[in-house]
Amino acid sequence: MSELPACPQCDCQWTYEDGALLVCPECAHEWSPEAVAAADDNETGNNETGKVWRDANGAELADGDTVTVIKDLKIKGTSQVVKVGTKVKNIRLVVGDHDIDCRIEGVGQMGLKTEFVKKA
């Protein structure tokens, strides 16, 4: 049995073939596997997945950018806080629950979400 791709709309793993199309049983989305492959080839973005990261103001972020924290952020497991206005240099964008991997002076390595930063 061949492995079918997940639904591109809802990420359901139980897709099935119906003639030349693939169908999602959860959201009823129908698509052609060739059309998805062609769209992936044409997609533009700033990484291999094609995802575009934007800061709290909507500005596009890229690896190596400098950002500023726009809200006091408590660090889980400690009593430390990353204060408003803290500059974070040389960010690295990643796919996951936190979009930015960075090193903050006085704090160390941590992950940030793009909704709490603005491009400097």
Side-chain angles (χ1 to χ4, degrees):
M1 183 171 193
S2 66
E3 187 70 28
L4 296 175
C7 175
Q9 219 168 25
C10 71
D11 207 35
C12 173
Q13 63 182 350
W14 296 295
T15 58
Y16 61 92
E17 291 179 319
D18 185 18
L21 297 176
L22 296 174
V23 181
C24 174
E26 289 187 2
C27 70
H29 178 66
E30 296 181 354
W31 72 98
S32 167
E34 293 82 23
V36 171
D40 287 343
D41 292 342
N42 295 333
E43 196 168 317
T44 59
N46 55 0
N47 68 355
E48 62 278 351
T49 63
K51 181 174 178 173
V52 176
W53 287 272
R54 300 198 180 273
D55 68 3
N57 296 332
E60 191 172 322
L61 296 173
D63 285 339
D65 281 348
T66 299
V67 295
T68 304
V69 177
I70 62 168
K71 176 183 175 183
D72 281 349
L73 301 173
K74 295 179 185 175
I75 300 172
K76 286 185 178 180
T78 71
S79 61
Q80 288 183 309
V81 176
V82 177
K83 296 285 189 179
V84 172
T86 302
K87 282 200 175 192
V88 182
K89 298 177 184 176
N90 199 20
I91 65 170
R92 189 177 65 134
L93 300 170
V94 296
V95 176
D97 60 341
H98 288 79
D99 305 315
I100 299 171
D101 277 344
C102 60
R103 183 176 185 287
I104 298 177
E105 291 293 323
V107 176
Q109 287 291 121
M110 69 181 306
L112 297 172
K113 293 187 176 185
T114 55
E115 63 195 76
F116 300 121
V117 300
K118 68 177 182 178
K119 196 169 185 176

